[in-house]
Amino acid sequence: MAGKKLASLALAVVLALSLLAVPAGAAGNGVGVLLDGVPVAYDDNYGYPFLDSAGRTQVPFRRTMETFGCTVSWDNENRVAIAEKDGVRVEVPIGQAYLLRNGQRVDLDTVAQIRNTRTFLPIRPVVEAFGAAVTWDGGNRQVLITTGADLVRVHFLDVGQGDAALIDCGTVEVLIDGGDNGAGEDVVAYLAPYVDGALDYVIATHPDADHIGGLDDVLEAYQVGEVIDSGRASDTKTYADYWAAVQAEGCTFSYDTDRIIPLSGNTVLSILETGDDWADSNDCSVVAQLTCGNVQVLFTGDMTQEVEEASLSLFGDIDVLKVGHHGSASSTSPAFLDVVQPECAVVSYGLDNRYGHPTTQVLQRLLGRGIPVYGTGKSGPIVLTTDGYSYSFNTTVTLSLRDAGNG
């Protein structure tokens, strides 16, 4: 595990750097692009990759996407670059911070642009829209694109002071929580590019509004295969709306008991039963572990230290910890960290929230062990990508102690 930890940490840091490049040209001092191990040939006619003002690698549209196997076209009236392959159509408007994948919007943090009459696109989100993997070979300064990869992505949504995470595993999708009241429409819109047909599983970790408030909108918008619930009810209107939506959906409904849910060939989701008789509903949270090959991601809802330490025998060495209770001091105990030993951690929280999340105590516990911490309040949506051997994040922005209490 130690060797994998070092390799995965290195990749997690440098993978997002595939967005950071300088022009690749005849001088040979820039980056190159390899597609399934074969260099993409750029020249003066097509142009060369360059670093844009947002720090993202832009590549020549036609040369890159045709080499990738796409049919390319150009909507001159609307200034939109279009690439199509295997039933996927990606439209990238010039100067707009989004792309459309089969008509569904995916927001970007940079824009496609025209330079010297040539069209350039941000490489990562465009090829990822076709299901490819993007990594970075720092030693050789090369962007590596792998097609046909069996990839799993975990999206930690930015829902403010709340929780929502999407596991996208090929044609199987799992949503864990849906944010607070008012977040539902945003969650529904975020899911649209990734849900293939039905939303297979929805997990409501516990009945707090910041976890289930948006689920009634999700249940109305998507056909859901199964809802997994903590078994704890609440007398709030938010819970009543959620429960009415579950009943109206008419889907399979189950409580959190020990089970293993197959998602794909090498990927499963394990439900870990930590008990349902705790006085605090936070402590009855559904706890789930995603295992994709050799990579493990643990989701703990709002489980507190009391339950963590009473359930240590259920846990083992993991790679990524979804930090419990938004980084509250009541969660993520030293004893728990001693057992799970995460390489990286993700906190879902709202900027300047009134609870002081993430707390200094939790950040000290994590950072003191050398664990990089990513936060939605600082980075927006965070996406983890894994092929079962290594993993990466779509951001290199991590939290420090200065982010405690105010994001």
Side-chain angles (χ1 to χ4, degrees):
M1 185 73 180
K4 176 174 74 77
K5 283 179 175 288
L6 292 176
S8 295
L9 265 179
L11 183 58
V13 172
V14 300
L15 179 56
L17 295 180
S18 66
L19 305 175
L20 303 175
V22 294
N29 60 356
V31 302
V33 177
L34 268 67
L35 175 61
D36 290 331
V38 179
V40 178
Y42 298 111
D43 58 30
D44 292 339
N45 291 325
Y46 291 99
Y48 303 94
F50 69 90
L51 181 68
D52 67 18
S53 60
R56 303 298 186 245
T57 300
Q58 301 269 348
V59 297
F61 162 55
R62 182 171 294 277
R63 170 59 85 181
T64 305
M65 300 315 296
E66 285 185 339
T67 304
F68 186 70
C70 291
T71 301
V72 301
S73 57
W74 172 255
D75 179 347
N76 191 58
E77 180 180 356
N78 297 302
R79 290 168 53 84
V80 176
I82 304 168
E84 298 179 87
K85 179 183 179 181
D86 298 333
V88 175
R89 176 183 174 95
V90 175
E91 302 169 69
V92 189
I94 302 301
Q96 303 295 321
Y98 68 91
L99 60 78
L100 298 176
R101 181 185 186 277
N102 288 344
Q104 300 295 334
R105 176 172 172 142
V106 177
D107 289 326
L108 310 177
D109 59 3
T110 189
V111 299
Q113 55 188 274
I114 293 178
R115 271 195 171 190
N116 299 324
T117 72
R118 300 183 184 92
T119 302
F120 290 83
L121 307 181
I123 187 170
R124 177 187 291 277
V126 174
V127 297
E128 283 187 343
F130 288 98
V134 183
T135 57
W136 171 249
D137 178 354
N140 295 307
R141 295 180 58 77
Q142 293 176 327
V143 177
L144 309 179
I145 303 173
T146 305
T147 62
D150 185 13
L151 300 175
V152 173
R153 291 188 173 91
V154 181
H155 301 251
F156 302 94
L157 281 63
D158 179 14
V159 290
Q161 184 60 21
D163 250 338
L166 172 70
I167 299 169
D168 185 7
C169 184
T171 60
V172 178
E173 292 84 30
V174 181
L175 178 67
I176 302 177
D177 290 330
D180 209 335
N181 293 301
E185 291 185 3
D186 291 337
V187 173
V188 167
Y190 188 97
L191 299 182
Y194 308 107
V195 175
D196 304 290
L199 178 56
D200 299 274
Y201 299 94
V202 169
I203 297 177
T205 60
H206 63 292
D208 285 1
D210 59 328
H211 290 253
I212 65 166
L215 290 183
D216 53 340
D217 288 325
V218 171
L219 287 159
E220 181 178 352
Y222 293 100
Q223 178 185 348
V224 173
E226 180 177 351
V227 172
I228 301 172
D229 188 294
S230 69
R232 294 297 291 267
S234 170
D235 59 3
T236 64
K237 183 180 184 304
T238 297
Y239 182 82
D241 290 343
Y242 152 75
W243 185 240
V246 172
Q247 293 177 307
E249 183 71 16
C251 59
T252 300
F253 177 82
S254 62
Y255 295 118
D256 63 323
T257 55
D258 283 320
R259 61 186 286 198
I260 296 177
I261 302 171
L263 301 182
S264 72
N266 70 339
T267 305
V268 299
L269 187 69
S270 302
I271 306 299
L272 308 178
E273 177 56 66
T274 58
D276 295 324
D277 297 325
W278 302 96
D280 189 337
S281 63
N282 285 338
D283 287 330
C284 299
S285 292
V286 180
V287 176
Q289 179 171 309
L290 175 71
T291 300
C292 176
N294 294 321
V295 176
Q296 302 87 26
V297 184
L298 183 63
F299 303 84
T300 61
D302 281 358
M303 180 175 62
T304 67
Q305 293 186 39
E306 181 181 8
V307 182
E308 289 173 355
E309 295 178 11
S311 308
L312 291 178
S313 63
L314 299 178
F315 305 114
D317 199 353
I318 64 169
D319 295 281
V320 179
L321 172 66
K322 170 62 177 56
V323 176
H325 207 173
H326 321 286
S328 166
S330 65
S331 295
T332 318
S333 68
F336 177 66
L337 291 175
D338 285 343
V339 171
V340 297
Q341 300 184 52
E343 297 175 358
C344 297
V346 177
V347 185
S348 180
Y349 69 99
L351 198 63
D352 298 324
N353 64 84
R354 63 189 177 94
Y355 304 100
H357 295 158
T359 60
T360 300
Q361 297 95 314
V362 165
L363 288 180
Q364 285 177 330
R365 292 171 200 159
L366 294 166
L367 298 175
R369 295 169 181 253
I371 300 169
V373 183
Y374 302 90
T376 57
K378 192 169 187 176
S379 297
I382 296 170
V383 184
L384 178 155
T385 301
T386 180
D387 59 2
Y389 298 96
S390 59
Y391 63 92
S392 66
F393 291 93
N394 67 331
T395 178
T396 57
V397 178
T398 56
L399 302 185
S400 69
L401 288 178
R402 291 190 300 272
D403 296 303
N406 56 27

